[in-house]
Amino acid sequence: MATPLKRVRGLGAAHHGTETFWRQRLTAVANVPLVIFLIWFVVAHAGASYGTVKACLANPVVAVLMLALIWSAVIHMRIGLREIIEDYLHHKLCKTASLMLATFFAALVGIASTLAILKISFGG
């Protein structure tokens, strides 16, 4: 039985309320213009030489937009994976291991992608 205070705080059975819901929506909204930018970038550079694409990615504005896309997508992916794992895995050990693997996978994707963009941006 939820108390009125608990209803006001928005805490449910997971005890983290609507924070995850809003973070998922925020990253989804952020991903829309960032993915449009990515599609434009790919289409605009289709058939371009490696040097041309590398030079364009070295532009600070392009690099920041790509990094924003990477981290917004990684956070969005991590939240989605967490929700699926929490909803459909019921064995505690399996759930814990899966949550850890999902977190490590998301971090690995984000770090590897960030390092690739930074290497292109700062030369190497």
Side-chain angles (χ1 to χ4, degrees):
M1 189 94 165
T3 64
L5 180 59
K6 191 170 186 176
R7 273 194 296 273
V8 170
R9 288 183 180 159
L11 298 176
H15 304 291
H16 54 79
T18 59
E19 179 183 346
T20 301
F21 172 84
W22 285 110
R23 189 175 298 142
Q24 182 85 8
R25 295 324 176 264
L26 177 66
T27 56
V29 169
N31 285 341
V32 171
L34 293 170
V35 169
I36 290 170
F37 170 75
L38 176 66
I39 292 168
W40 169 82
F41 184 86
V42 169
V43 169
H45 293 89
S49 69
Y50 174 76
T52 303
V53 174
K54 185 176 177 181
C56 190
L57 282 171
N59 180 326
V61 173
V62 174
V64 167
L65 288 172
M66 291 294 184
L67 288 172
L69 171 61
I70 289 165
W71 283 102
S72 180
V74 164
I75 292 167
H76 190 80
M77 174 184 68
R78 169 64 180 89
I79 294 169
L81 288 171
R82 179 180 174 180
E83 293 298 318
I84 291 168
I85 290 167
E86 288 176 347
D87 287 347
Y88 294 106
L89 291 180
H90 303 292
H91 187 268
K92 189 161 180 76
L93 182 62
C94 187
K95 183 185 289 190
T96 302
S98 296
L99 288 170
M100 289 173 57
L101 286 172
T103 300
F104 291 143
F105 176 73
L108 182 67
V109 168
I111 291 168
S113 301
T114 300
L115 289 175
I117 295 293
L118 292 177
K119 182 176 180 181
I120 290 171
S121 296
F122 293 112

